[in-house]
Amino acid sequence: MELVICHSDDPIRLTTTYQASPRSVYNYIMCRSIKQLRHPECAPTEEEINAAALQYIRKVSGYRQPSRANQVAFDQAVFEVAQSTRSLIENLRSIASLE
């Protein structure tokens, strides 16, 4: 399987082609699906924060869905990441507020 990454609007000029396994392509795509949550015009919703936390824990753990034996640890990690994310966003100051 080939993974082609375009680095500009012109895919002919700046591309990188990798011989990649389906797993590495999945990991590349999965990592890219975590969205930026901090926007000056609106605060992220609880749903967006929790979805980002879940995606992060899935990436770090390597589990899309953990086994029953690991479910409590997985859920706790998602909760803690969401809580930290919420705290970070609430405590970040924009450049405008520092002036």
Side-chain angles (χ1 to χ4, degrees), residues 91-99:
N91 290 305
L92 285 176
R93 295 185 229 165
S94 68
I95 293 172
S97 70
L98 296 174
E99 295 175 345

Side-chain angles (χ1 to χ4, degrees), residues 4-66:
V4 178
I5 302 171
C6 297
H7 304 284
S8 76
D9 294 335
D10 182 359
I12 295 171
R13 285 187 50 220
L14 296 170
T15 61
T16 306
T17 303
Y18 299 96
Q19 292 299 321
S21 69
R23 176 88 177 147
S24 63
V25 171
Y26 171 77
N27 284 340
Y28 177 79
I29 293 167
M30 185 175 178
C31 182
R32 304 230 351 145
S33 66
I34 297 175
K35 306 291 185 226
Q36 177 179 328
L37 296 179
R38 190 181 69 81
H39 300 286
E41 63 276 357
C42 62
T45 65
E46 286 298 309
E47 183 177 291
E48 290 172 321
I49 291 172
N50 289 331
L54 175 60
Q55 193 66 26
Y56 176 77
I57 295 304
R58 283 177 173 169
K59 178 67 176 177
V60 170
S61 70
Y63 292 115
R64 181 168 183 346
Q65 182 65 41

